[in-house]
Amino acid sequence: MTSVRPGLAAAAATALLWLAAPGRCLAQEPAQTNTDVPWRTSYFPYLSGLSNDGPLISGRIRYSQAAPYEERVTSRAYVQLDAGVGFRGPGFAAAQFGAPLWLKDWRFTALTIASREARYGFFGLGNGTTYDKANVTDANPFFYRVQRTNYFGSVEVTRRIVGQLQVALQASAQSTKFVAHDEGTSVFLQQFGPSMKQGDAGSAPPWCSTAAIPSTTASGLLLESGYQVATGGGNYERLYGVFRGWVQLREGTVLAARLAGSQLYGEPTLDARFVIPAWERPIPVLGGSFSFRALQTGRLAGKGVLLGNFEVRST
């Protein structure tokens, strides 16, 4: 059994810039408030999923105050609980708090989540890894799979500095455990043994951004770059950047593009190799619906990653 002592994530810095389309200079738009709008409760079931685990039966309870119609976010503030369970052993529970418009020029968020993925993809590390379907047999049904249990919590405060430039401070804690399946052998079992537990805890100051990604602007550009220092598992650092753009081709059709890159230095944790810690939402790499749909989740993982996406969205 390989065990890595939980460490302390030291610091990360990110810079983002939102550039609106001509005629939509968001920095000059008057601030909108609706503090008299009542808080409302909504709850509903839905189908969701985790990596390679099939559908999950999930539910959500949300207590929120609606934002003005023309705002770039749907809620002025909210508290949300989600939970789901699947048929193959996966499940998750999450609690969120968000207040993007509670105070002028400030954003507050908090998240805690516990999840278990029964068939997380693990194919080895680096571009030299291979995938051969013949290795997946009745004796080794999980040759490219590993069980992953993750506990994560974070709090973040964001402050607008000038125009669309903002700075944020985040503190987080994480504990992740990988366990090889009992049936047959697997790539994970061969490289790391039956199990491995890793941890990170600390802060990430400062991040610079523009608040939540706009939902009412069809054309624009969001630029983000960051630097991270951490000691979880071993001392390591990270440089990364995420660049997003949207162009409205015609009414109801938008061309979207994204370029993301990350480079780790030192001795990162295994889990750190599977994610780019972007400001609004971390990007899982490399493979799966949130990064590269042509590859299975976790197909390529290492210290460096560069990916690009182009989409045509039509409503």
Side-chain angles (χ1 to χ4, degrees), residues 278-297:
W279 174 75
E280 184 66 20
R281 173 186 293 177
I283 302 174
V285 296
L286 184 61
S289 59
F290 291 102
S291 61
F292 198 88
R293 295 184 179 94
L295 300 176
Q296 296 187 47
T297 301

Side-chain angles (χ1 to χ4, degrees), residues 298-315:
R299 172 62 187 91
L300 294 173
K303 289 188 175 182
V305 61
L306 181 64
L307 67 94
N309 304 102
F310 300 91
E311 295 181 349
V312 177
R313 303 172 181 174
S314 183
T315 58

Side-chain angles (χ1 to χ4, degrees), residues 11-182:
T14 304
L16 288 84
L17 180 63
W18 168 258
L19 303 177
R24 291 285 295 176
C25 185
L26 301 176
Q28 298 177 358
E29 293 181 359
Q32 303 182 63
T33 61
N34 65 334
T35 56
D36 58 335
V37 173
W39 286 69
R40 300 185 184 278
T41 301
S42 61
Y43 48 90
F44 53 87
Y46 63 96
L47 290 177
S48 62
L50 291 174
S51 306
N52 309 309
D53 283 324
L56 276 69
I57 300 176
S58 305
R60 172 177 297 171
I61 301 176
R62 183 180 175 96
Y63 184 58
S64 63
Q65 184 182 48
Y69 181 78
E70 292 299 329
E71 276 291 351
R72 295 175 290 167
V73 292
T74 59
S75 298
R76 179 173 175 265
Y78 65 89
V79 177
Q80 181 174 302
L81 300 176
D82 290 81
V85 62
F87 301 99
R88 297 178 175 179
F92 78 97
Q96 299 181 61
F97 166 78
L101 301 177
W102 206 348
L103 295 177
K104 178 178 172 57
D105 296 332
W106 290 86
R107 186 185 94 152
F108 304 92
T109 64
L111 167 68
T112 179
I113 183 170
S115 63
R116 181 180 185 272
E117 295 155 287
R119 289 170 170 79
Y120 195 82
F122 184 79
F123 302 79
L125 300 176
N127 290 338
T129 60
T130 60
Y131 173 66
D132 185 355
K133 286 186 177 181
N135 291 326
V136 182
T137 64
D138 292 339
N140 301 306
F142 304 112
F143 190 80
Y144 296 110
R145 296 288 181 261
V146 65
Q147 300 177 61
R148 176 178 178 265
T149 302
N150 184 48
Y151 300 95
F152 176 81
S154 69
V155 293
E156 177 220 306
V157 179
T158 301
R159 177 72 163 90
R160 187 179 73 87
I161 302 303
V162 59
Q164 299 307 305
L165 181 66
Q166 301 193 17
V167 62
L169 173 66
Q170 183 193 69
S172 64
Q174 181 178 22
S175 176
T176 307
K177 186 176 183 179
F178 297 88
V179 178
H181 284 273
D182 294 333

